[in-house]
Amino acid sequence: MPINFFKGHPSADILPRKELADAYSKILLETDFLGYENDPKNRGPLQYGTDSGNYEVRKTISDWNNREFNTDLSCPQNMNLTSGASYGAANILTSATSVEITQSAFIVTPTYFLINSSFVDAGFGGRIVPIRETQNEEFDIDIKTLENHLAQADPVPENEEINIIKDAAGRPDRKLYRHVIYMVPTFSNPGGISYTTKTRMAVLELARKYDMLIITDDVYELLDYTEASERIPRMVYLDIKTRPKAKTFGNTVSNATFSKILAPGIRFGWQETATSKLAEQLAITGANKSGGTPGQLSSFVVKSLIDNGTLDTIIKKFIEIYKERAKRLLEVIPKYLPSTTIVSGGDGGYFFWLSIPGEIDLEKVLDKMKERGVIIPAGHNFEVCSSEPPFWKNSVRLSISSLSPEKIEEGIRIWGDELRTLYPHLYQ
């Protein structure tokens, strides 16, 4: 079996099969199906769901969010249920952007490599602007470049909301944003870093000034290895706390999923917004309104796992396993790789981002490693698709989610062997 550092999913041996089997069995065999027949807010687990998803499920998730983030800002009215973050991103772009009105699409780079397709499908191919992650600077992303692009259009008056359009299908009026930005602000994929509250507020202030929607993939925060007493607040909670009254739709969507903290195959997640108006807008896109919320049965299962505390136990187990793997990777990097190697990541989530300075052909090294059964994805896989020239020529992403500590060390040792053979000067 190859040692594959590209896989961004849990190793099969740690997936909670018994817990999920018990939960599905309980829901299917013990639910009072008839009790849901006349409930306008909730539907049975095998029926089409409501547009936003069952109220009782959204209430359970919002209460759980409030506990995890030590806040009272999460509420079911600001939430709609999805079939995971990938579906969620496409749903947001379909609902809240338009190639006629949305002037700019920004993606923070390095980026989750498959998000490019969602932006291209929404009509932004060739128009996506990369915004670099930065380190050891005032902000965690290149705020200056972002603002320079936004400032090409006039600011929106502080007490005005623009681009509210009548819906041709007779649904409520909806908001289209002049700009949109995508980022993974906590334990970022692939950069491995978490943006400070200062960075988050700077982006939020620009979003309000220039009418930009911020899409945050909030999928890794609970996989925190630091045991910090408080989590960095999600951008949607910052938006709720500081939103001007005139901004009735808000400027943020927290796009979340249970794929990383339960199992990818569950295909269930949620979106959280600063206002109920934007949540409703996201809940009534065409496919969603036709079929009801996706993942209806899965939503019951997740609710059950939250209610009985099983989900918290599963997450705790994941943290213990991933923390051990991350620790091993941090131990073996200085053991086998050049001392000049730059490393980010290790506090949580799945990913590390490594860069090796100097004039080397990293692609050549990685190709040689494939011959020895080690797969490490090069930085070009994580570029924004319109990036010219590429930003990440000498970088790689390492995922620890599907490899044992022993396989992690073996893979890094082989990488070091190839580097030492091809570029011995790196070790002098």
Side-chain angles (χ1 to χ4, degrees):
M1 290 285 290
I3 300 173
N4 193 337
F5 285 94
F6 206 151
K7 291 181 179 179
H9 58 72
S11 47
D13 60 313
I14 68 172
L15 292 171
R17 291 182 293 173
K18 177 67 165 56
E19 294 88 341
L20 283 169
D22 289 346
Y24 273 102
S25 178
K26 180 180 176 63
I27 294 302
L28 290 172
L29 299 178
E30 299 181 21
T31 297
D32 176 13
F33 283 77
L34 289 177
Y36 285 98
E37 289 299 309
N38 297 309
D39 186 343
K41 290 185 176 182
N42 302 289
R43 303 276 172 79
L46 294 180
Q47 297 287 8
Y48 294 113
T50 62
D51 293 343
S52 298
N54 276 20
Y55 180 87
E56 60 188 14
V57 176
R58 288 182 283 129
K59 180 68 164 59
T60 292
I61 294 173
S62 64
D63 289 346
W64 180 64
N65 283 336
N66 283 330
R67 186 177 77 244
E68 289 293 336
F69 286 87
N70 191 28
T71 185
D72 60 359
L73 299 174
S74 185
C75 69
Q77 292 83 359
N78 291 358
M79 188 178 293
N80 62 288
L81 306 184
T82 72
S83 61
S86 297
Y87 163 91
N91 187 56
I92 297 164
L93 293 171
T94 296
S95 176
T97 70
S98 155
V99 291
E100 292 80 22
I101 289 175
T102 307
Q103 299 172 8
S104 307
F106 303 98
I107 296 179
V108 173
T109 184
T111 190
Y112 165 55
F113 65 104
L114 293 176
I115 197 62
N116 285 295
S117 299
S118 294
F119 276 79
V120 170
D121 288 350
F124 297 110
R127 296 173 49 191
I128 308 171
V129 179
I131 302 296
R132 292 185 66 197
E133 270 189 354
T134 57
Q135 292 197 40
N136 303 316
E137 297 184 19
E138 182 181 3
F139 297 105
D140 302 297
I141 68 171
D142 187 352
I143 293 288
K144 184 177 181 181
T145 295
L146 176 61
E147 184 169 19
N148 287 343
H149 278 281
L150 291 170
Q152 294 175 26
D154 291 333
V156 178
E158 198 169 311
N159 295 315
E160 185 177 330
E161 195 137 51
I162 64 172
N163 298 326
I164 311 296
I165 65 167
K166 292 288 183 183
D167 184 71
R171 296 169 294 186
D173 293 353
R174 62 193 181 104
K175 162 101 176 121
L176 298 177
Y177 290 80
R178 185 185 283 174
H179 310 279
V180 61
I181 187 170
Y182 169 86
M183 61 180 67
V184 186
T186 306
F187 308 134
S188 63
N189 178 6
I193 68 172
S194 296
Y195 307 164
T196 62
T197 301
K198 180 179 179 179
T199 296
R200 297 172 194 229
M201 283 304 303
V203 177
L204 184 54
E205 287 164 6
L206 288 176
R208 290 172 179 158
K209 184 176 181 179
Y210 292 103
D211 191 43
M212 180 170 68
L213 180 64
I214 306 166
I215 304 172
T216 58
D217 263 4
D218 293 329
V219 301
Y220 299 106
E221 298 114 312
L222 300 188
L223 298 177
D224 187 343
Y225 315 147
T226 66
E227 301 177 0
S229 57
E230 283 196 27
R231 304 189 192 281
I232 303 173
R234 284 178 170 160
M235 292 186 73
V236 68
Y237 300 148
L238 296 173
D239 197 7
I240 292 170
K241 285 185 72 172
T242 62
R243 177 179 62 86
K245 290 183 179 179
K247 305 299 183 184
T248 61
F249 285 83
N251 290 87
T252 53
V253 182
S254 172
N255 189 38
T257 182
F258 289 94
S259 293
K260 312 301 182 185
I261 54 177
L262 184 53
I266 198 81
R267 303 319 306 141
F268 178 63
W270 74 99
Q271 292 172 338
E272 196 165 7
T273 58
T275 73
S276 59
K277 290 180 72 171
L278 184 54
E280 180 187 21
Q281 177 176 321
L282 296 175
I284 57 175
T285 50
N288 214 66
K289 194 160 183 63
S290 175
T293 188
Q296 173 72 351
L297 175 57
S298 293
S299 75
F300 275 77
V301 169
V302 168
K303 179 183 186 302
S304 172
L305 293 173
I306 293 174
D307 286 342
N308 64 22
T310 301
L311 181 61
D312 291 337
T313 301
I314 291 168
I315 294 171
K316 183 179 179 180
K317 176 185 174 183
F318 283 166
I319 290 172
E320 291 173 354
I321 292 169
Y322 294 148
K323 185 176 182 179
E324 181 186 7
R325 295 173 180 180
K327 180 183 177 185
R328 178 66 68 90
L329 181 58
L330 288 172
E331 288 171 349
V332 301
I333 286 172
K335 185 176 178 181
Y336 299 112
L337 299 184
S339 60
T340 55
T341 303
I342 301 168
V343 183
S344 64
D347 289 335
Y350 283 6
F351 304 111
F352 287 74
W353 186 251
L354 273 64
S355 300
I356 300 178
E359 292 298 321
I360 64 171
D361 186 346
L362 188 56
E363 298 277 356
K364 180 180 178 181
V365 178
L366 299 180
D367 285 342
K368 293 283 288 182
M369 289 167 58
K370 288 178 185 176
E371 298 172 9
R372 299 181 63 180
V374 178
I375 300 170
I376 292 181
H380 70 76
N381 291 283
F382 309 98
E383 300 276 7
V384 173
C385 58
S386 57
S387 295
E388 289 292 343
F391 286 118
W392 309 113
K393 184 179 177 182
N394 278 19
S395 299
V396 302
R397 187 191 79 174
L398 301 178
S399 173
I400 50 89
S401 62
S402 64
L403 294 173
S404 68
E406 293 75 24
K407 290 296 183 182
I408 287 170
E409 178 159 4
E410 183 181 353
I412 299 303
R413 178 186 60 76
I414 292 171
W415 186 15
D417 287 347
E418 294 297 338
L419 281 170
R420 192 179 292 274
T421 298
L422 292 170
Y423 300 103
H425 68 275
L426 295 175
Y427 291 86
Q428 295 173 358

